[in-house]
Amino acid sequence: MLDIKEELEICLLKRRLSMRKVIEILREKGYNIPCSSSLSSALNKKRVRFETVQEILDYLGFELVVREKRKSEN
């Protein structure tokens, strides 16, 4: 199963940015992104808003794709 916290961390590493910096930038642009500690807590509890994840990924140049699972051959 997808761990969104790990996926976001990978995306941040690829862009050489910190979550704190991205949150700061997005909040300055008027996005409704929680402060760093609140977002970190939400990610740890797996209770983060879908829209928040989409906004962060969009800023980083990534998108979330939902597709049907592949059937295993057993």
Side-chain angles (χ1 to χ4, degrees), residues 23-35:
I23 291 170
E24 179 183 315
I25 292 167
L26 290 175
R27 288 175 65 93
E28 286 174 2
K29 290 183 174 200
Y31 287 88
N32 186 20
I33 304 289
C35 66

Side-chain angles (χ1 to χ4, degrees), residues 19-20 23 27 33-49 52:
M19 181 65 82
R20 185 174 302 241
I23 291 170
R27 288 175 65 93
I33 304 289
C35 66
S36 184
S37 61
S38 294
L39 182 59
S40 178
S41 177
L43 287 167
N44 287 331
K45 293 177 183 177
K46 299 183 182 190
R47 301 272 185 221
V48 65
R49 287 179 31 231
T52 299

